[in-house]
Amino acid sequence: MNELLKGKDFVFTSESVTEGHPDKVCDQISDGVLDEVLSQDPRGRVACETFVTMGLVIVGGEITTSAFVDTHKLVRKIVNEIGYNEPKYGFDYETCAILNAIHCQSPDIAQGVDTGGAGDQGLMVGYACKETPELMPLPIMLAHKLSLRLAEVRKKEILDYLGPDGKSQVTVEYKDGKPVRVDTVVVSSQHTEEILDKSGKKITKAAREEIIETVVMPIVGKWVDNKTTYHVNPTGKFVVGGPQSDTGMTGRKIIVDTYGGMAPHGGGAFSGKDPTKVDRSACYMARHVAKNIVGAGLADKCTVQLAYAIGIADPVSVMIDTHHTAVIPEKEITRLVRKHFPLTPRGTIDYLKLRRPIYRKTAAYGHFGRKGPEFTWEELNKVNDLRKDAGI
């Protein structure tokens, strides 16, 4: 993608969703189960999947642990905290049915992981660029911040007619490969019937303008101009939302979770997987490597690909692509990466402190470009070492 867009004029779009989106409800439940296991048993093995539909939550997967998880109690707690706590939203934490279909991890997989090998084969991608202070692409960062703002104004009752389900989308115009303005903003948020007009088929003009002023402008204000287009609940209304309107499943928002489509994706989802699954841990390490390369000034943008074979500790390949922005040869950057970053599953887990119950917070609003003690892969702790070794 970056090769195709280098130095060109184009528009690029990324989307995000709120924590009340059905797929994100599932991601949070799966990561909530993982956190509960790790809080009692840091070496527990978890591959937890969740499915939601109208009035029903199914939790399944493979878990091997000494911990006890009260799945029913945990699910109701998470659904309540997300905001599905009133019948008017069509899904309620007190009345939804919950089915538990969890069993143990396959011993065939375990024998490879127990010796320090990867839990599966696959390729994992990390990315960083200088478009934002977070060293993330601008479209996905603006989309996440819009979704976070939707949740904030709902929870603080600034706009008390909003419901938990919602989506955002931002189209950014680039000139010569650099972002210059926001072309289009899309915001769709579940709401109560009180903001419908007399026809009952769409929200009032006043509500639309209030959402733009309260949600959109604080986030994208400095990037918009008089040609920017705004779409607020473009179908007209969004009263029926959440699991009542759409099924949800763990792992269906992998582009939302990563770089908004600006970088390649290996294909594996994150939520519900303990860190022995390189689908998750190696993607975190790849992001950490890419961010430190860009943070050190070795390149303006960087894609890192790691690949693993099941049961084998060392990656079968390490690829660095700086999209012709590197100040030293990419072969030399690859050597520095292998020298300064532990890339085996055990090395990654220990280095990034991944056996902690930190994962539910990652399950909504993106795994990258975030702040907080949970997000160790966002630290720029190798910048000085890389610069020194690179001689810059």
Side-chain angles (χ1 to χ4, degrees), residues 51 118 226 300 308 326 377:
F51 168 88
N226 57 9
D300 289 342
Y308 293 83
W377 49 93

Side-chain angles (χ1 to χ4, degrees), residues 6 18 53 57 66 81 85 121 147 151 174 212 260 263 294 302 314 329 378 384:
K6 178 178 172 58
T18 67
T53 188
V57 180
S66 59
E81 290 175 354
N85 46 31
Q121 70 175 42
S147 292
Y174 286 74
I212 291 174
V294 173
C302 182
D314 288 319
E378 292 296 312
N384 291 336

Side-chain angles (χ1 to χ4, degrees), residues 88-327:
K88 67 181 179 180
Y89 296 132
F91 191 78
D92 182 60
Y93 81 102
E94 291 186 303
T95 59
C96 64
I98 301 170
L99 297 180
N100 186 344
I102 293 172
H103 57 92
C104 291
Q105 183 185 59
S106 162
D108 294 347
I109 296 174
Q111 69 178 4
V113 178
D114 289 343
T115 60
D120 202 353
Q121 70 175 42
L123 56 118
M124 297 80 201
V125 177
Y127 180 73
C129 64
K130 289 188 173 181
E131 290 183 15
T132 64
E134 298 89 354
L135 301 185
M136 287 283 287
L138 181 63
I140 189 64
M141 289 308 301
L142 291 179
H144 282 325
K145 289 177 181 180
L146 281 174
S147 292
L148 276 164
R149 180 63 179 166
L150 278 174
E152 180 183 31
V153 300
R154 169 176 64 88
K155 292 176 180 180
K156 292 182 177 179
E157 298 185 341
I158 297 171
L159 300 180
D160 59 3
Y161 49 77
L162 296 184
D165 196 0
K167 304 178 83 171
S168 67
Q169 185 171 284
V170 179
T171 301
V172 174
E173 181 179 352
Y174 286 74
K175 294 285 188 183
D176 195 25
K178 296 181 180 181
V180 295
R181 61 182 287 273
V182 166
D183 182 76
T184 306
V185 178
V186 182
V187 172
S188 297
S189 184
Q190 184 182 15
H191 58 83
T192 58
E193 294 185 349
E194 67 186 83
I195 62 168
L196 294 176
D197 66 9
K198 292 181 180 180
S199 72
K201 295 181 179 180
K202 61 180 181 179
I203 64 174
T204 65
K205 182 179 179 181
R208 177 184 181 275
E209 292 176 350
E210 187 175 39
I211 291 171
I212 291 174
E213 184 65 28
T214 308
V215 176
V216 177
M217 296 311 294
I219 303 302
V220 303
K222 73 175 185 177
W223 290 98
V224 303
D225 56 26
N226 57 9
K227 294 182 180 180
T228 300
T229 301
Y230 306 92
H231 296 292
V232 178
N233 285 12
T235 64
K237 67 177 184 178
F238 190 178
V239 173
V240 179
Q244 182 184 20
S245 67
D246 195 9
T247 59
M249 295 183 69
T250 299
R252 285 207 300 201
K253 286 289 177 284
I254 58 176
I255 301 303
V256 172
D257 285 343
T258 53
Y259 307 101
M262 189 66 80
H265 195 291
F270 299 155
S271 289
K273 297 177 181 178
D274 75 79
T276 66
K277 279 74 173 176
V278 284
D279 275 347
R280 182 170 216 159
S281 55
C283 278
Y284 290 171
M285 178 57 86
R287 160 63 178 172
H288 181 64
V289 171
K291 187 174 183 181
N292 275 269
I293 288 171
V294 173
L298 302 187
D300 289 342
K301 61 178 65 174
C302 182
T303 300
V304 175
Q305 185 199 75
L306 306 175
Y308 293 83
I310 188 168
I312 305 300
D314 288 319
V316 298
S317 70
V318 178
M319 186 278 292
I320 307 294
D321 182 3
T322 62
H323 312 280
H324 306 292
T325 67
V327 299

